[in-house]
Amino acid sequence: MSTIKDVARLTGLSISTISKYINGGNVLEKNRVLIESAIQKLDFRVNQAARSLKTNKTMTVGVLLPSLDVSFFANIITEIEYLLLDAGYFTVVCSYNHDPRQEMRKLCYLIEKNVDAVLMVPEYLGADEIMKISEIRNHTTPLVLLDRAVEGLYVDCVMVDNVRAAYQATCKLIRAGHRRIGIVLGPAEISTARERLQGFLQAHTELAVAPDPECIRQGDYSLESGHAIFGELMDMPNRPSAVLATNYDMTLGAVTAAYERKLRIPEDVSFIGYDEARLSRIISPPIDIVTQPTHEMAEQTTALLLERLRSGGDTPKRIRLECGMLNGQSVAPFPAP
Amino acid sequence: MSTIKDVARLTGLSISTISKYINGGNVLEKNRVLIESAIQKLDFRVNQAARSLKTNKTMTVGVLLPSLDVSFFANIITEIEYLLLDAGYFTVVCSYNHDPRQEMRKLCYLIEKNVDAVLMVPEYLGADEIMKISEIRNHTTPLVLLDRAVEGLYVDCVMVDNVRAAYQATCKLIRAGHRRIGIVLGPAEISTARERLQGFLQAHTELAVAPDPECIRQGDYSLESGHAIFGELMDMPNRPSAVLATNYDMTLGAVTAAYERKLRIPEDVSFIGYDEARLSRIISPPIDIVTQPTHEMAEQTTALLLERLRSGGDTPKRIRLECGMLNGQSVAPFPAP
DNA sequence: TATAATAAACGAAAGGTTTCGCGATGCAAA
DNA sequence: TTTGCATCGCGAAACCTTTCGTTTATTATA
């Protein structure tokens, strides 16, 4: 493995000149040619460890996710990755597999690996624990939270107005005449699930409809749980006339459960799904879908990350983006006209 | 940020003693106590850049995937991650988002970041291009391929016997009496898709059934394409009486398409899916599924990686694992008795 | 008590890069 | 021809750790 020293020797220039060239400094044209050919011949690559040692930077952003295969996050991260690359930053992802112990452990590892910033989707971690990490306490390593806040933790955060999104979807159902509405929620430990429930309840309150606790059911944001819970709801003696599923996987699970029971949407049950517009491309009639602003989330998150990476600490920013609603044909008036 | 030097000063010991302790060497009991409390007080952490510079190791394995949200890969990687962590290695994942240019670029980045080994699921990259990377040519950075080989590239590889898996599934359909069988394939550029097609054709040849080219259709391993292609097959004037979908997402897409058309499985069309056993938990009647040995793949891959990490180069190993078949009730005799 | 054997601590070099202040060089203007 | 100015190149220090060969301390043995 050849070093900058070898390049210096081969070109007859000094180490500092080579370093200058490598880092975009000006060198004499003839030296430029010389250096480039030497680099080529020696197959020289900058030793990143040495560079990091000196600069205290890795030009790498660490992303920590609860799981690798949640398409909602995967989509956002993919976009962020492109944006960060444009800014010269490499992105590495790692997952804690919904495991509370791994969540802390991996966060520490990432920071110890000297990533320049961490972007994370938290799940079970508390503010006190995160604050134990000195790099975060001292703002040495910027931390940005995605999709979910951590109570009592004052760091940058990009999220979505979950309350309002669920509120609007629920309102739509109530306005269509539905009075017993089922909701398929995520785990109560996760703030998005709590917020969506809150919006659901708020719509009931405002429109003076009493929610039935039996119709409020908690899953784990997985395909299977969406399937199971939708099934349970439909098997109730007085089943809800409409259902709201609150993420992509559970939406898909709910739809398969409906199909399986030969329940027609919306004739037999009205339905609103979540997250992926492409869902309506494979379900007919197309369903109504609450869409989250993934592009905007990616952009805002990247902007936030870059700002922190460039100019460091400031008072934390908390960004809330609005969700949209893709109108389909899965909400019918109730009772049927 | 405090360094080993600070710890040395505070304890009155030498730098080398501290280093020895950090790396698991023996020190006097009283010194141990001293060092530990100093480390605590100073909140000392090893500077990984400095360590890497010296040792030429990062204790990190880089994983390169075509996309983050393919659950088949995500499952395997999650398991590998645990196994590698036990062996002291940290795993970082990155994705090239099915983008041929990114595929090469990210591979180079990973290697430049000094990961100790790369595990990759290749897609479009050719052997010649990969061999341009000197670290791989010289076996400086071990490269292990997962799921797919690269033609002409002689490196370690853990894959599955796709030909046989598709062969057996197809045989099952033919033996049940089906003569026109549809297959929903992935992109021809991807070796697994070609192999699965080969197995499909081989079964036809051996059992003396002529395959209909019209029934052989290529998608892109996505939910939508599974949906679309299954739909196309069912819309044919003389549609196949059985269909084989060749990955998880396309299976799910196919099933929703069947539901949508109110086609009963297996009464109206026999069906075999792929990959995820849990599929049968949300589809009724449970479907027959070709299962890939994800656990074993994870184990073998990890073993291979660790071997390379520990003892370096050797003649490349190519491991082929057998797939299984989960019997459901989605294959009916044809014509119906 | 002296010596050998063992264990622990030490000092110094090495690993490859960036950075900063200073010296050299080249060119235009006077 | 000399002066002034702008560029460019250079040397050396610094970043923090590991490692290896050597010294010192400790314990056991004769």
Side-chain angles (χ1 to χ4, degrees):
Chain A
M1 202 80 297
S2 50
T3 76
I4 208 174
K5 210 186 269 179
D6 301 315
V7 180
R9 196 174 317 136
L10 190 59
T11 56
L13 295 166
S14 79
I15 290 180
S16 16
T17 304
I18 313 298
S19 173
K20 191 182 190 183
Y21 166 80
I22 291 170
N23 293 291
N26 275 334
V27 294
L28 245 39
E29 177 62 13
K30 63 160 188 151
N31 288 340
R32 208 212 69 213
V33 177
L34 215 54
I35 295 175
E36 278 174 3
S37 84
I39 286 179
Q40 189 98 44
K41 179 164 357 169
L42 294 168
D43 189 32
F44 165 77
R45 303 299 170 68
V46 172
N47 181 321
Q48 297 291 337
R51 173 179 278 177
S52 290
L53 175 60
K54 191 66 194 166
T55 62
N56 249 321
K57 282 179 188 160
T58 54
M59 298 307 280
T60 303
V61 171
V63 175
L64 187 53
L65 299 176
S67 155
L68 288 181
D69 69 341
V70 176
S71 61
F72 173 62
F73 297 131
N75 290 338
I76 297 177
I77 299 305
T78 300
E79 205 169 332
I80 290 178
E81 225 175 333
Y82 275 102
L83 296 172
L84 285 177
L85 208 51
D86 283 342
Y89 286 92
F90 187 63
T91 304
V92 299
V93 177
C94 73
S95 121
Y96 52 89
N97 200 31
H98 302 288
D99 177 341
R101 262 166 312 166
Q102 293 271 324
E103 190 173 351
M104 184 65 181
R105 204 171 166 196
K106 297 255 170 140
L107 176 58
C108 291
Y109 277 139
L110 275 177
I111 287 171
E112 254 162 46
K113 292 281 170 199
N114 278 324
V115 295
D116 294 341
V118 174
L119 172 63
M120 128 172 232
V121 177
E123 203 153 286
Y124 300 105
L125 223 46
D128 45 345
E129 242 182 324
I130 292 179
M131 270 309 165
K132 276 189 204 145
I133 304 173
S134 65
E135 283 82 353
I136 291 180
R137 211 177 332 112
N138 313 329
H139 306 278
T140 316
T141 305
L143 173 67
V144 176
L145 264 29
L146 179 64
D147 190 52
R148 308 168 185 173
V150 170
E151 209 168 339
L153 186 68
Y154 302 106
V155 300
D156 295 317
C157 186
V158 176
M159 357 181 16
V160 133
D161 191 341
N162 290 293
V163 179
R164 198 172 144 85
Y167 168 83
Q168 290 184 323
T170 311
C171 281
K172 176 161 188 174
L173 293 171
I174 295 179
R175 293 224 174 81
H178 297 277
R179 289 298 171 266
R180 290 178 55 71
I181 302 172
I183 184 167
V184 188
L185 287 165
E189 292 86 1
I190 298 180
S191 63
T192 54
R194 291 195 302 271
E195 291 168 1
R196 286 164 201 179
L197 173 59
Q198 192 186 329
F200 177 81
L201 295 175
Q202 189 181 317
H204 280 77
T205 309
E206 286 192 15
L207 299 180
V209 175
D212 179 353
E214 283 288 298
C215 291
I216 298 171
R217 302 208 174 210
Q218 201 186 95
D220 63 2
Y221 278 148
S222 75
L223 188 69
E224 291 96 320
S225 81
H227 178 85
I229 290 175
F230 188 88
E232 288 170 21
L233 287 171
M234 292 300 106
D235 291 343
M236 286 169 64
N238 55 347
R239 68 176 194 220
S241 63
V243 174
L244 170 62
T246 58
N247 83 336
Y248 173 72
D249 285 309
M250 296 200 302
T251 299
L252 209 48
V255 170
T256 59
Y259 280 146
E260 196 179 308
R261 285 177 165 65
K262 310 219 188 316
L263 289 169
R264 291 162 307 164
I265 294 175
E267 293 85 347
D268 301 318
V269 57
S270 285
F271 184 75
I272 296 181
Y274 227 92
D275 276 346
E276 295 267 0
R278 60 184 180 149
L279 268 175
S280 60
R281 250 174 280 149
I282 65 153
I283 296 171
S284 82
I287 57 176
D288 286 60
I289 294 171
V290 177
T291 56
Q292 304 200 59
T294 51
H295 289 295
E296 216 181 336
M297 289 177 84
E299 277 165 11
Q300 297 274 358
T301 306
T302 310
L304 206 45
L305 278 168
L306 289 176
E307 192 186 324
R308 293 306 181 211
L309 284 165
R310 284 167 185 159
S311 46
D314 201 353
T315 71
K317 279 194 186 156
R318 200 158 283 206
I319 297 173
R320 282 262 186 197
L321 301 170
E322 286 307 317
C323 291
M325 183 95 195
L326 201 73
N327 289 310
Q329 299 155 35
S330 64
V331 177
F334 184 86
Chain B
M1 202 77 299
S2 50
T3 76
I4 208 174
K5 208 187 271 179
D6 301 315
V7 180
R9 195 174 318 136
L10 191 58
T11 56
L13 294 166
S14 78
I15 288 179
S16 19
T17 305
I18 313 298
S19 174
K20 190 184 189 184
Y21 166 80
I22 290 169
N23 293 290
N26 274 333
V27 295
L28 244 39
E29 178 60 14
K30 64 161 188 151
N31 288 340
R32 208 212 71 212
V33 177
L34 215 55
I35 295 175
E36 278 173 4
S37 84
I39 287 179
Q40 189 97 45
K41 180 169 347 173
L42 295 168
D43 190 31
F44 164 78
R45 300 302 168 68
V46 172
N47 180 321
Q48 298 291 336
R51 174 180 277 177
S52 289
L53 176 59
K54 193 66 194 164
T55 61
N56 248 321
K57 283 180 188 159
T58 54
M59 298 308 281
T60 303
V61 171
V63 175
L64 186 53
L65 299 176
S67 156
L68 288 181
D69 70 340
V70 176
S71 61
F72 173 62
F73 297 131
N75 289 338
I76 297 177
I77 299 306
T78 300
E79 205 169 332
I80 290 177
E81 226 175 333
Y82 275 102
L83 295 172
L84 284 177
L85 208 52
D86 283 342
Y89 287 92
F90 187 62
T91 303
V92 300
V93 177
C94 73
S95 122
Y96 51 88
N97 200 31
H98 302 287
D99 177 341
R101 261 165 315 166
Q102 294 270 325
E103 190 174 351
M104 183 66 181
R105 204 170 165 197
K106 297 255 171 140
L107 176 58
C108 291
Y109 277 139
L110 275 178
I111 287 171
E112 254 162 47
K113 292 281 171 199
N114 279 323
V115 295
D116 294 341
V118 174
L119 172 63
M120 124 172 237
V121 177
E123 202 151 285
Y124 300 105
L125 223 47
D128 46 344
E129 240 182 325
I130 292 179
M131 269 308 164
K132 276 189 204 146
I133 304 173
S134 64
E135 283 82 354
I136 290 180
R137 210 176 334 111
N138 314 328
H139 307 277
T140 316
T141 306
L143 173 67
V144 176
L145 263 30
L146 179 63
D147 190 51
R148 308 168 185 172
V150 170
E151 210 169 339
L153 186 69
Y154 302 107
V155 300
D156 296 316
C157 185
V158 176
M159 356 180 19
V160 134
D161 191 341
N162 291 293
V163 178
R164 199 172 144 85
Y167 168 83
Q168 290 183 323
T170 311
C171 281
K172 177 161 189 174
L173 293 172
I174 295 180
R175 293 225 174 82
H178 297 277
R179 290 299 172 265
R180 289 178 55 71
I181 302 172
I183 184 166
V184 188
L185 287 165
E189 293 85 0
I190 298 179
S191 63
T192 53
R194 291 195 303 271
E195 291 168 0
R196 285 165 201 178
L197 173 58
Q198 192 186 329
F200 177 81
L201 294 175
Q202 189 180 317
H204 280 77
T205 310
E206 285 191 15
L207 299 179
V209 174
D212 179 353
E214 282 288 297
C215 291
I216 298 171
R217 304 213 173 205
Q218 200 185 97
D220 63 1
Y221 278 148
S222 75
L223 188 68
E224 291 97 320
S225 80
H227 179 86
I229 290 175
F230 188 87
E232 289 170 21
L233 287 171
M234 291 300 106
D235 291 344
M236 286 169 64
N238 55 348
R239 69 176 193 220
S241 63
V243 173
L244 170 62
T246 58
N247 83 335
Y248 172 73
D249 285 310
M250 296 201 301
T251 299
L252 209 48
V255 170
T256 58
Y259 279 146
E260 196 180 309
R261 285 177 165 65
K262 310 218 189 318
L263 289 168
R264 291 162 307 164
I265 294 174
E267 293 85 347
D268 301 318
V269 57
S270 285
F271 183 76
I272 296 181
Y274 227 90
D275 276 346
E276 295 267 0
R278 61 185 180 148
L279 268 175
S280 61
R281 249 175 282 148
I282 66 153
I283 297 172
S284 82
I287 58 175
D288 286 60
I289 294 172
V290 176
T291 57
Q292 303 200 59
T294 51
H295 288 294
E296 216 181 334
M297 290 178 84
E299 278 166 11
Q300 297 274 357
T301 305
T302 309
L304 207 44
L305 278 168
L306 290 176
E307 191 186 324
R308 293 307 181 210
L309 284 165
R310 284 166 186 160
S311 45
D314 202 354
T315 70
K317 279 194 186 154
R318 200 158 282 207
I319 296 172
R320 281 262 186 197
L321 300 170
E322 287 307 317
C323 291
M325 183 93 195
L326 202 72
N327 289 310
Q329 299 156 34
S330 65
V331 177
F334 185 86

